[in-house]
Amino acid sequence: MTKQTEPDYASRPGRHIVSLSGGKDSTALAIFLRDKIPQLEYVFCDTHEELPETYDYLNRLEAFLGCKITRLNPERGFEHWLRVYNGVLPSPQVRWCTRKLKIEPFEAHVGNDQVWSYIGIRADEQRNGYISTKPNIIPVYPFKEYGLVLSDIERILEESGLGLPAYYEWRQRSGCYFCFFQRSGEWVGLRERHPDLFEKAKRYESENGGEGFYWRQRESLARLEQPERIAQIKREHRMRLEEERRRRPGRPLIELIGAALDAEDDERGCDICHL
């Protein structure tokens, strides 16, 4: 895109907000827009159950931007809403976590103001993310408008000095450590890197899950953590990764790892939590 055709975001009346998830795309978008929109606001809907790496990454981003990231839900995190829902855990079929911890806090923060909501979906993705039903919240897709793809996002992050979030070594999605959209390999990664959080997720599953409820849907965490099952998961992931290397030689490792995890199943993550 030439300088003459760049969108003049800053001239649009109303508030300008980037909703951050602690993931690579929304972080890169915040960096990309920083000098384009002087009055830009940065918002993070905190579930109180994010990975330590996510909180660290957001703190580093805040230092880079030189301005405050507004944390929503300072008092009403996941545990509050779990009590409200009488201990019933969220699931792909009943995603109260997305509604109560992401959508409603953001819409309350916006109120009735006209808001330009900047969304970090890339030009190489075939999705639009969550679009609010409130007419005063207008979605904007700068990466699509500028034609920016995964390699551009990696470049923006590297040039900023932030790089990728540390959890990308084993997980491809931001969001709660117990997210029910995690693949088996990501659960194994959680167990190896944050055994305390894995045990906490297990307790939720056994104490609040009810008959037949599993975060992973197809198997309990107690079953998933058995040595023979972990070995199988790792072996199958290595095979998928090697297949992706053969199919797409020369592609960045993060892209290959993501494709290998995607190949485990076709479960799509949350369009709000995982940018």
Side-chain angles (χ1 to χ4, degrees):
M1 179 177 294
T2 65
K3 197 71 174 178
Q4 289 72 27
T5 60
E6 286 186 6
D8 185 7
Y9 299 130
S11 68
R12 298 172 179 176
R15 295 167 65 187
H16 300 257
I17 301 179
V18 173
S19 291
L20 298 162
S21 69
K24 66 183 188 308
D25 295 321
S26 64
T27 300
L29 183 62
I31 296 167
F32 180 73
L33 293 176
R34 181 184 64 166
D35 296 329
K36 292 179 169 57
I37 309 173
Q39 67 272 38
L40 192 59
E41 300 175 42
Y42 307 94
V43 168
F44 172 61
C45 294
D46 190 356
T47 65
H48 299 197
E49 304 291 347
E50 309 289 329
L51 290 165
E53 294 96 324
T54 300
Y55 292 118
D56 175 68
Y57 198 60
L58 287 166
N59 289 338
R60 291 170 56 210
L61 174 62
E62 194 168 52
F64 176 86
L65 295 172
C67 64
K68 184 177 176 60
I69 295 172
T70 300
R71 268 81 164 176
L72 303 183
N73 307 322
E75 298 175 357
R76 295 187 172 188
F78 177 80
E79 287 279 357
H80 167 83
W81 290 108
L82 184 61
R83 290 191 294 272
V84 170
Y85 280 85
N86 297 315
V88 177
L89 292 169
S91 68
Q93 293 73 38
V94 185
R95 287 165 56 181
W96 60 254
C97 52
T98 302
R99 169 61 58 182
K100 292 300 182 182
L101 292 166
K102 299 291 182 177
I103 298 172
E104 290 184 2
F106 179 74
E107 292 185 345
H109 177 70
V110 165
N112 294 320
D113 296 340
Q114 178 167 310
V115 165
W116 302 90
S117 176
Y118 295 88
I119 301 170
I121 295 181
R122 308 185 308 269
D124 55 353
E125 294 184 282
Q126 301 302 314
R127 62 192 183 100
N128 291 319
Y130 172 76
I131 299 177
S132 175
T133 57
K134 295 189 69 174
N136 58 305
I137 301 177
I138 306 166
V140 187
Y141 303 92
F143 289 158
K144 286 183 176 290
E145 293 179 356
Y146 279 80
L148 301 187
V149 298
L150 179 60
S151 59
D152 297 302
I153 275 57
E154 289 185 286
R155 174 183 50 78
I156 291 169
L157 294 175
E158 287 303 316
E159 290 177 354
S160 73
L162 289 176
L164 294 167
Y167 60 74
Y168 272 95
E169 296 174 1
W170 56 279
R171 172 175 160 142
Q172 292 297 297
R173 296 167 173 169
S174 57
C176 299
Y177 65 85
F178 49 65
C179 180
F180 39 75
F181 284 121
Q182 287 184 104
R183 285 76 160 209
S184 300
E186 293 172 313
W187 279 109
V188 170
L190 179 69
R191 184 180 183 275
E192 292 179 342
R193 290 162 176 81
H194 298 291
D196 57 326
L197 296 182
F198 186 89
E199 288 300 315
K200 190 176 177 183
K202 264 175 58 179
R203 287 197 300 274
Y204 277 133
E205 191 176 75
S206 62
E207 295 174 8
N208 298 88
E211 185 66 29
F213 174 93
Y214 304 133
W215 289 119
R216 187 66 187 108
Q217 288 112 68
R218 65 191 65 179
E219 63 182 335
S220 69
L221 296 184
R223 164 70 183 114
L224 184 145
E225 71 170 338
Q226 294 302 306
E228 68 278 6
R229 178 65 177 127
I230 288 177
Q232 178 190 12
I233 291 168
K234 289 184 173 181
R235 183 171 61 253
E236 291 174 351
H237 178 70
R238 285 195 300 270
M239 291 173 60
R240 289 191 298 269
L241 186 57
E242 288 305 315
E243 175 61 24
E244 291 298 328
R245 282 197 175 103
R246 288 192 294 270
R247 288 181 57 243
R248 300 194 284 183
R251 306 300 293 177
L253 181 59
I254 184 176
E255 186 174 339
L256 296 176
I257 291 174
L261 287 167
D262 286 341
E264 181 179 329
D265 57 32
D266 55 6
E267 225 19 281
R268 273 191 56 187
C270 175
D271 274 335
I272 297 175
C273 301
H274 302 133
L275 288 175

